[in-house]
């Protein structure tokens, strides 16, 4: 199962379905083909590389922000992940290796 660890500095989270505990996390500079491969995997949100995750879950889908995106902290072309929050994605350390551009992707072999 693929995993993505992201450094979340500005709390770009929004609950989308309270009953199902589904959230959106945005506005990530990730290629769409990479986002496609991450669906079904885990997302972990961290405050810093050396801190355990404070939130996360199973990625259900993603969308690309449209060219006319103009909400707070929204950038056209960036990725929004929709995920179901799970407790097993909290307090997970990512390790020091493999970080780049405030993200770390782990592909299963």
């Amino acid at each position: 199962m693929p995993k993505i660890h992201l450094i979340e500095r500005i709390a770009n989270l929004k609950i989308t379905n309270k009953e199902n505990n589904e959230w959106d996390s945005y506005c990530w500079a990730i290629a769409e083909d990479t986002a496609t491969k991450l669906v079904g995997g885990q997302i972990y949100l961290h405050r810093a590389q050396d801190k355990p995750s404070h939130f996360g879950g199973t990625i259900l889908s993603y969308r690309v922000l449209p060219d006319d995106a103009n909400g707070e902290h929204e950038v056209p072309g960036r990725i929004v992940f929709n995920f179901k929050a799970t407790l097993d994605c909290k307090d997970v350390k990512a390790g020091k290796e493999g970080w780049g551009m405030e993200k770390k992707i782990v592909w299963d072999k």
Side-chain angles (χ1 to χ4, degrees):
M1 172 183 340
K3 300 167 185 70
I4 186 165
H5 297 265
L6 296 163
I7 304 299
E8 181 194 42
R9 298 197 191 280
I10 54 176
N12 274 341
L13 280 170
K14 180 172 69 172
I15 191 154
T16 58
N17 185 320
K18 189 173 184 179
E19 190 173 296
N20 291 333
N21 203 18
E22 291 179 17
W23 295 77
D24 277 352
S25 177
Y26 58 100
C27 152
W28 302 108
I30 295 171
E32 189 171 359
D33 64 324
T34 300
T36 299
K37 294 173 187 171
L38 289 166
V39 173
Q42 303 300 110
I43 184 170
Y44 302 90
L45 302 175
H46 301 260
R47 301 263 186 248
Q49 289 180 13
D50 62 345
K51 302 288 183 197
S53 59
H54 62 89
F55 200 56
T58 301
I59 299 170
L60 303 173
S61 63
Y62 75 91
R63 70 181 186 280
V64 179
L65 288 169
D67 290 339
D68 63 351
N70 61 2
E72 185 178 3
H73 306 298
E74 289 187 2
V75 176
R78 296 279 177 103
I79 297 291
V80 177
F81 286 109
N82 177 257
F83 66 97
K84 181 177 180 75
T86 59
L87 286 176
D88 63 338
C89 289
K90 186 175 179 178
D91 294 324
V92 174
K93 289 196 172 193
K96 294 179 181 183
E97 302 299 317
W99 285 95
M101 303 297 291
E102 300 202 325
K103 65 182 166 271
K104 175 180 179 175
I105 299 173
V106 180
W107 303 106
D108 284 342
K109 296 180 181 181

